[in-house]
Amino acid sequence: MAITEVERRRGQLAALSIAAVVIIVGVPLWWRTTETYRAWLPVSQIKDLAKLQLHLSADVEVVFARGTVTPEQQKKVPLTQTQDEEHTVDEDTTLRYRYETKYRTATIMEEDALKKPTAAEADLSLHMLSESPCGSLVVYVIPESSSLLPEDVNVYIGQRRTALVRISAQMRVGKTLEQLLAQLEPQIKQVLQVMSFSHTDITVALSDRVRFRPGNKESIADSMRAFKSSPGYEITFSLLNPDPKSHQLHWDIEGAVQTYIQPLLTKLSPLANFSMDSQTLYYTMLGVTPRFDSSFEAYTLNADSLAHVINPVEARLGSNAASSNPVLNFLLYVPDIRHSPLYIHDHRKQEVPSNAFHSPRWGGIMVYNVNGFYGSETEFPVHVNINMAKVMGVFLAQLRLLLGVQSLSPPPGFLVAPCGSTGLADWELDRLMWSRSVENIATATTTITSLAQLLDQIGNIVINDNIAQQVSSAVTSLQLAMAELEVGNLGFALQYSKEAILASEKAFFDPSLLHLLYFPDDQKIYA
């Protein structure tokens, strides 16, 4: 009996030991090995980004040339003034602008530069003296007696980050420096609206985050026309020859790209990477049959039919399946002999001077007539050397619009210098960088907050370390981008905003998330 009692107690102890091991070791181990792994995310910082407060700072230097300030006014220069503006876009988005304006008198070398015969030469000479940092402006105030500007022009916008503003003698005589600056302020503000960011531009750049509030029709049209911000773009030039039996076409596309397009893309390199290719397509017709207009003695395409031109042609263009970057298409169409000459007409039935049109976020098409090569004794096929300067002038203008370089209408009394051989003025690049930086920040914050909300709602989805790293990287880059915008470092702000959007999209579209993201609970089997 004693042995039986001992064995019974031993069995009880063994059972209790096994139960203890199961409870103390097995249950936690089972819980650990079967739980959904969810790496740590900076949730509090993401919630802060949901309430976006953007601070943009621009530095403006106003330089008074000889004869623009009295000796009494000059005693109070140099001087620095700061102006702040705040705009509430919606309940979750606030914009604050800070303009720091420094006033000083011109140096001897700047005075010499301002004595050049033309404003363009003065702009170049001033640029050679000192190059203004990205995102900043220098405004030179010149006297009424200066011959740099025509009589009907009060403000000259150069190719760099420099502007010339003319003031009359009545503005300075018998006034204090504070009164003079108050009278100058409206013109300086107009210069800023043209050469730097404007509230309308920044609001439009936030379109991924906030709902449009129509204000400036031109800015809205520009934003709908331009491609969205992207790390890279593919540019394809296509020559369409629907009648190779009649036309033997030659176009020096490689040389033309290097001469006309590459300088612009080199200047835009801080914004994105660009790759280009070209092709020639034979027997490719437009999707619309042109109509003969006896009053013009030519075939015409009216504005209403242009929308039907692209789809049939697009099917022949092909696509780069290896790249996810947007594609900008530029097509040069040479009409066949039966529909030549061919002209594009606008909504007012007027001939379009460029004989070209563009489609928002797609590209442009130019019609190139070669009927001038035809004669009574012409032998076919006709050998045609295409005037690439004419063609690239049109494509360059379309490329600027499609990449977001806005077509501005300067205020009365303003003269804007041509953009030069690069196809883009320095201040135009700055305007685009301001907009792209804000657009990238808006897109990245929307992406990262949406991802955080989805992961919070779906509790059993795995969050691996790679996703957590990308999310943290996106949040850090966003914080750095906004900090650089606040102090006016536009170049760094753009770079960090690009890193933020890349990291946020990598996290959002991670393959490990996609197969579980929308998997219904009622189809899950638990062991």
Side-chain angles (χ1 to χ4, degrees):
M1 292 294 293
I3 295 174
T4 305
E5 182 66 23
V6 170
E7 289 179 350
R8 187 176 65 81
R9 285 180 175 273
R10 187 182 299 165
Q12 289 177 343
L13 290 173
L16 289 172
S17 300
I18 294 171
V21 170
V22 169
I23 294 172
I24 296 172
V25 179
V27 171
L29 182 63
W30 170 80
W31 182 265
R32 181 63 179 171
T33 55
T34 58
E35 73 172 343
T36 301
Y37 180 73
R38 295 172 69 86
W40 178 85
L41 297 178
V43 177
S44 61
Q45 297 177 49
I46 294 174
K47 288 181 179 179
D48 292 339
L49 292 173
K51 295 281 187 180
L52 185 62
Q53 294 185 345
L54 274 180
H55 301 249
L56 281 71
S57 297
D59 294 331
V60 186
E61 194 172 22
V62 179
V63 182
F64 292 100
R66 186 181 295 114
T68 56
V69 288
T70 63
E72 191 66 29
Q73 294 167 342
Q74 192 170 343
K75 291 178 182 178
K76 297 183 179 180
V77 178
L79 176 70
T80 300
Q81 290 183 343
T82 302
Q83 183 180 1
D84 294 303
E85 294 180 12
E86 182 170 340
H87 302 267
T88 301
V89 182
D90 62 14
E91 59 183 7
D92 293 326
T93 310
T94 304
L95 297 172
R96 289 189 178 93
Y97 308 134
R98 166 165 288 195
Y99 304 100
E100 186 171 307
T101 308
K102 299 178 181 178
Y103 299 92
R104 65 174 177 86
T105 55
T107 64
I108 295 176
M109 298 179 72
E110 288 173 329
E111 290 286 0
D112 291 339
L114 292 171
K115 292 177 182 177
K116 295 290 183 180
T118 63
E121 291 178 88
D123 179 42
L124 178 59
S125 297
L126 291 168
H127 174 70
M128 297 298 289
L129 291 176
S130 63
E131 185 174 353
S132 301
C134 180
S136 65
L137 299 177
V138 182
V139 179
Y140 288 89
V141 181
I142 59 176
E144 189 177 19
S145 58
S146 174
S147 60
L148 284 175
L149 304 182
E151 291 183 4
D152 59 339
V153 174
N154 294 321
V155 178
Y156 173 82
I157 306 295
Q159 293 181 6
R160 287 89 193 175
R161 299 179 178 96
T162 304
L164 305 178
V165 176
R166 177 162 57 190
I167 62 170
S168 61
Q170 291 80 6
M171 288 182 65
R172 65 184 180 88
V173 176
K175 293 181 172 64
T176 64
L177 180 63
E178 289 74 17
Q179 291 173 326
L180 174 63
L181 298 185
Q183 287 187 310
L184 264 177
E185 185 180 344
Q187 281 185 308
I188 302 298
K189 195 165 186 178
Q190 280 186 315
V191 171
L192 277 167
Q193 296 290 315
V194 173
M195 299 183 70
S196 188
F197 59 83
S198 67
H199 178 59
T200 303
D201 297 337
I202 300 303
T203 305
V204 169
L206 291 168
S207 59
D208 278 354
R209 181 183 176 90
V210 300
R211 185 171 295 179
F212 251 147
R213 293 181 181 179
N216 188 319
K217 291 183 178 180
E218 290 183 1
S219 295
I220 294 173
D222 286 335
S223 69
M224 295 177 66
R225 177 191 300 119
F227 279 83
K228 302 294 289 182
S229 180
S230 172
Y233 298 92
E234 312 284 335
I235 302 176
T236 300
F237 297 96
S238 302
L239 174 62
L240 274 57
N241 185 0
D243 191 7
K245 293 181 179 179
S246 301
H247 303 140
Q248 187 171 335
L249 307 176
H250 172 72
W251 68 333
D252 183 16
I253 186 62
E254 185 175 352
V257 163
Q258 290 299 319
T259 302
Y260 299 100
I261 304 297
Q262 191 58 53
L264 173 64
L265 301 186
T266 301
K267 199 159 189 177
L268 288 171
S269 59
L271 291 162
N273 298 318
F274 297 90
S275 63
M276 292 179 285
D277 56 27
S278 63
Q279 59 183 343
T280 301
L281 301 177
Y282 297 100
Y283 300 104
T284 302
M285 304 292 292
L286 297 179
V288 176
T289 302
R291 295 182 179 180
F292 185 77
D293 191 326
S294 57
S295 60
F296 290 94
E297 291 294 325
Y299 290 88
T300 63
L301 284 173
N302 59 50
D304 295 331
S305 64
L306 296 181
H308 307 288
V309 169
I310 294 176
N311 286 348
V313 174
E314 190 174 23
R316 294 286 307 277
L317 295 180
S319 61
N320 187 356
S323 173
S324 59
N325 293 329
V327 179
L328 288 77
N329 297 285
F330 295 97
L331 278 59
L332 182 64
Y333 179 77
V334 178
D336 61 282
I337 193 170
R338 295 173 301 166
H339 301 104
S340 186
L342 175 62
Y343 296 102
I344 298 173
H345 285 189
D346 58 21
H347 290 286
R348 295 173 295 179
K349 308 299 182 183
Q350 300 295 317
E351 184 179 321
V352 176
S354 64
N355 211 25
F357 70 97
H358 67 272
S359 178
R361 300 183 183 180
W362 184 83
I365 297 179
M366 179 182 181
V367 176
Y368 190 90
N369 289 306
V370 296
N371 54 295
F373 289 87
Y374 303 155
S376 57
E377 299 180 357
T378 301
E379 294 184 2
F380 293 95
V382 177
H383 294 268
V384 179
N385 286 316
I386 293 173
N387 183 351
M388 297 306 294
K390 177 182 177 182
V391 172
M392 285 298 163
V394 174
F395 285 165
L396 184 63
Q398 293 177 339
L399 179 60
R400 280 168 50 92
L401 292 173
L402 291 167
L403 290 177
V405 182
Q406 297 184 1
S407 53
L408 294 174
S409 299
F414 275 59
L415 175 62
V416 179
C419 55
S421 59
T422 60
L424 190 72
D426 290 353
W427 59 268
E428 287 182 309
L429 176 62
D430 288 355
R431 280 183 67 97
L432 193 55
M433 289 174 69
W434 284 114
S435 296
R436 291 304 197 202
S437 297
V438 173
E439 181 183 344
N440 290 343
I441 290 172
T443 303
T445 53
T446 302
T447 302
I448 213 70
T449 52
S450 299
L451 177 60
Q453 290 172 2
L454 283 172
L455 296 178
D456 182 58
Q457 292 171 2
I458 307 175
N460 65 325
I461 192 169
V462 175
I463 305 175
N464 61 39
D465 292 332
N466 180 56
I467 295 171
Q469 182 182 357
Q470 295 295 343
V471 170
S472 297
S473 175
V475 170
T476 301
S477 296
L478 280 170
Q479 292 170 339
L480 290 171
M482 291 188 287
E484 296 295 346
L485 278 182
E486 187 171 357
V487 295
N489 292 334
L490 182 55
F492 286 115
L494 177 64
Q495 182 59 38
Y496 285 130
S497 72
K498 288 165 60 179
E499 293 174 5
I501 201 169
L502 284 172
S504 63
E505 290 185 352
K506 281 184 180 178
F508 194 89
F509 295 106
D510 191 279
S512 66
L513 288 179
L514 294 180
H515 69 283
L516 287 174
L517 201 54
Y518 303 106
F519 199 75
D521 287 333
D522 59 355
Q523 294 186 22
K524 297 173 184 174
I525 300 176
Y526 298 95

